[in-house]
Amino acid sequence: MAIRLFNTYSRALEEFRPMDPAGREVKMYTCGPTVYSHAHIGNFRAYLFEDLLQRHLESREFTVRRVMNITDVDDKTIRGSREAGVPLAEFTQPFKQAFFEDLDALRIKRADSFPEATDPQQVRKMIEMIGTLLERGLAYQAEDKSVYYRINKFADYGKLAHFDLEELRSTGRVKSDEYEKENIGDFALWKAWDEADGAVKWESPWGPGRPGWHIECSAMATQLLGEQLDIHCGGVDNIFPHHEAEIAQTEGCTGKKFVRYWLHCAHLMVEGQKMAKSLGNFYTLRDVIAKGYSGREVRYALMRVHYRAPLNFTWEGMEESRVALGRVDDWVRRLREAPSSKSPAFAEATAGGQDPKKHQAPNPKSSGFQDALDDDLNISAALGALFETIRETNRRMDTDEMGAEEAKGWLEWWKRVDGVLAISGEEAELPAEIAELAEARVQARLAKDWRKSDQLRDELAARGWEARDTKDGQKVTRRGGT
Ligand code: AMP
Ligand code: ZN
């Protein structure tokens, strides 16, 4: 079965085929965090959907090359650094670090690179692109010295968001400081320096200033992945103006189609409203962990609903996730402990001439999990298939119908499924007291209590276990074992 994805550009489900002539490599760009505070779990819903997409593509033998940018200069980061009275880089540093710790806690795979908007090499690329757009008449410098994109010179402007240019002209609100623009929809490519920016500025042919947010992504994406991408993702709030602007800028420079598949996830909601910093209705991952939940429980809770359906965050939802993961853990433990030969009950039942179908093992290959994800990442159907499998195989274990060989087959299947879901509990393998120490260490690291974290590592070592911090989070294994 082919993979089908819903493309925001065409508003249709399309069969996924990457540009790579061999059909294997996938170039994927995902908009990353603005590091002026801790990311909230709404942001992580977007990153988790992207993680699920990457893991599913990899399980289907694609090689994913993914870039996620870090926006470490914009109005909010500048304001934050001014209020804290520290230089911009010093202000953003702890939030960058926290972001990576949160990715690990949620078992989100690291992208191949995380370019930062303030990296001189990236700023050079942004300046180069703005220069090209000016040369082509697609941009202009206004009286305020900022450089703007001339949206009515780009015929396709509005196509991603399905807006009509006329509508954009008539519905925008004119802000008093934007009177210099030719058209209210024109967006800034380069923001001329002003006093509020303090020491934050770069030299450019148009005078000192800083890049606009949209050009950051066009520059970083093309610099690291080339002029054309297979997949570009983000939350729905990124569609307009951010992604629309990325298309206008990049295609305005290259003359080539920028992105083949645009994928956007719906919002994480709280009581019917988008979870957002500006609404004050948000939780960070740390807030949820402080209530006693683990990173994998949050992962499951944010991932279990189809990415295009809004998801309401509730504490009951967190409890349901805990119960669901408990069922998975119990099932894996039972499979590991399955008897090493067929039990007498199985032999007797089959010898007695009963309906052999009743004793037919379900087939790991046809469980429907992969097909569901092929269908535009239908995670609810995929989880449905997983829990149906759990129910059926548990029934077979209850009635002693499952032998060790079959159990091994299911464990292998689970390993592949969990390569995509990444929800397995290490507790299933670890003795309770080791699991507790391991979890305490995860918490200590999230609280940045490095002394406690080291102490717990020593305690684990003294009991014969090794804690390693990997790209996919903490791994605890028997020392000298696998
Ligand atoms: P930002 O730091 O605001 O640029 O957002 C980073 C990413 O999180 C973007 O892809 C946003 O679209 C996404 N995002 C922001 N708020 C939510 C939310 N409540 N639910 C899902 N995704 C969100
Ligand atoms: Zn972006």
Side-chain angles (χ1 to χ4, degrees):
M1 189 172 152
I3 296 180
R4 294 191 316 154
L5 299 172
F6 185 85
N7 190 345
T8 308
Y9 201 87
S10 64
R11 295 283 196 278
L13 280 170
E14 293 177 14
E15 187 174 327
F16 176 67
R17 274 200 229 102
M19 264 172 308
D20 173 23
R24 297 316 330 155
E25 192 189 63
V26 178
K27 294 180 180 182
M28 179 167 163
Y29 186 86
T30 49
C31 289
T34 307
V35 281
Y36 69 105
S37 66
H38 289 131
H40 59 69
I41 54 172
N43 303 130
F44 284 111
R45 181 187 193 197
Y47 308 143
L48 278 163
F49 130 70
E50 294 154 359
D51 186 55
L52 179 66
L53 175 61
Q54 171 167 6
R55 287 171 180 270
H56 179 57
L57 290 172
E58 286 172 349
S59 81
R60 300 286 268 110
E61 283 154 32
F62 289 100
T63 307
V64 178
R65 262 179 69 199
R66 185 159 70 90
V67 172
M68 176 180 268
N69 68 299
I70 307 272
T71 299
D72 57 357
V73 57
D74 78 326
D75 292 348
K76 287 178 272 187
T77 43
I78 293 175
R79 196 184 317 125
S81 80
R82 211 180 44 233
E83 282 168 10
V86 295
L88 183 65
E90 201 175 305
F91 173 72
T92 55
Q93 180 49 37
F95 298 120
K96 285 179 192 169
Q97 194 187 328
F99 172 68
F100 288 111
E101 287 165 10
D102 288 357
L103 287 186
D104 289 348
L106 291 170
R107 307 180 180 187
I108 295 174
K109 279 188 113 164
R110 294 277 175 104
D112 297 287
S113 67
F114 289 94
E116 298 180 348
T118 56
D119 176 343
Q121 194 196 349
Q122 301 299 346
V123 177
R124 263 198 303 281
K125 178 76 181 174
M126 296 169 208
I127 292 176
E128 179 196 308
M129 288 181 86
I130 298 170
T132 306
L133 294 171
L134 279 162
E135 265 165 42
R136 299 194 174 161
L138 287 163
Y140 60 93
Q141 185 165 29
E143 277 169 50
D144 66 350
K145 300 276 183 258
S146 292
V147 179
Y148 295 96
Y149 194 99
R150 189 174 268 136
I151 59 166
N152 57 14
K153 274 285 169 78
F154 185 73
D156 285 348
Y157 197 76
K159 280 218 170 140
L160 176 72
H162 294 226
F163 283 161
D164 172 339
L165 258 192
E166 278 313 311
E167 236 175 82
L168 284 179
R169 284 202 188 96
S170 55
T171 54
R173 214 159 43 90
V174 185
K175 281 204 240 138
S176 59
D177 61 348
E178 289 179 348
Y179 63 91
E180 300 95 342
K181 295 199 282 185
E182 289 175 2
N183 185 316
I184 53 160
D186 291 351
F187 55 87
L189 295 165
W190 186 259
K191 293 190 172 182
W193 181 85
D194 73 25
E195 266 169 39
D197 294 340
V200 181
K201 61 175 178 215
W202 287 264
E203 289 307 324
S204 81
W206 321 287
R210 61 186 161 98
W213 172 40
H214 313 314
I215 196 74
E216 291 178 8
C217 281
S218 287
M220 295 192 255
T222 50
Q223 176 128 283
L224 292 158
L225 292 169
E227 292 179 338
Q228 297 183 285
L229 315 178
D230 291 300
I231 300 179
H232 193 317
C233 306
V236 281
D237 58 318
N238 282 163
I239 298 174
F240 192 87
H242 186 51
H243 291 164
E244 194 74 63
E246 279 189 42
I247 296 175
Q249 296 163 154
T250 317
E251 297 188 4
C253 283
T254 66
K256 294 180 189 156
K257 187 158 179 68
F258 177 37
V259 172
R260 290 161 70 87
Y261 303 88
W262 283 97
L263 268 65
H264 293 98
C265 76
H267 282 140
L268 182 66
M269 315 289 284
V270 186
E271 283 150 24
Q273 276 190 307
K274 173 192 171 189
M275 181 175 285
K277 290 261 162 63
S278 55
L279 298 171
N281 63 349
F282 66 92
Y283 295 105
T284 64
L285 176 62
R286 285 133 212 266
D287 294 335
V288 184
I289 284 178
K291 296 236 182 204
Y293 294 99
S294 64
R296 82 171 174 131
E297 286 167 339
V298 180
R299 177 181 176 89
Y300 184 86
L302 296 181
M303 206 177 59
R304 68 191 176 133
V305 168
H306 190 271
Y307 74 95
R308 285 193 289 119
L311 164 60
N312 206 24
F313 179 78
T314 60
W315 296 108
E316 296 88 77
M318 287 305 305
E319 281 303 307
E320 281 164 25
S321 300
R322 174 166 288 179
V323 170
L325 291 175
R327 284 188 59 202
V328 174
D329 292 349
D330 288 344
W331 174 65
V332 174
R333 198 173 299 124
R334 282 189 81 181
L335 285 173
R336 289 211 170 99
E337 290 162 6
S340 57
S341 63
K342 270 181 207 157
S343 71
F346 179 88
E348 260 168 47
T350 43
Q354 292 177 17
D355 178 5
K357 266 209 202 102
K358 202 175 137 226
H359 303 284
Q360 202 103 60
N363 178 359
K365 291 223 169 67
S366 63
S367 78
F369 179 84
Q370 180 170 292
D371 290 353
L373 290 181
D374 278 355
D375 179 19
D376 193 31
L377 290 187
N378 190 342
I379 186 72
S380 356
L383 290 173
L386 168 65
F387 283 104
E388 184 51 42
T389 298
I390 291 180
R391 209 171 2 258
E392 180 54 21
T393 45
N394 270 338
R395 192 195 61 73
R396 291 172 57 73
M397 286 190 274
D398 289 343
T399 50
D400 283 344
E401 289 166 54
M402 192 182 305
E405 273 310 301
E406 187 190 334
K408 220 171 103 198
W410 284 111
L411 283 169
E412 272 157 25
W413 178 79
W414 168 242
K415 210 168 139 192
R416 283 198 303 279
V417 166
D418 195 50
V420 178
L421 297 177
I423 54 168
S424 106
E426 281 164 355
E427 302 89 309
E429 285 174 326
L430 303 176
E433 59 149 359
I434 301 300
E436 253 168 51
L437 288 171
E439 184 58 21
R441 187 165 176 275
V442 170
Q443 305 292 341
R445 292 182 68 75
L446 281 173
K448 294 213 179 104
D449 191 343
W450 311 122
R451 247 177 56 140
K452 190 162 173 203
S453 151
D454 288 347
Q455 225 173 7
L456 286 161
R457 185 202 294 270
D458 293 345
E459 270 192 67
L460 283 163
R463 287 170 166 78
W465 294 79
E466 186 186 5
R468 283 175 302 123
D469 302 306
T470 73
K471 273 185 6 180
D472 298 314
Q474 175 180 272
K475 293 265 181 290
V476 175
T477 44
R478 270 192 199 282
R479 293 179 95 191
T482 48

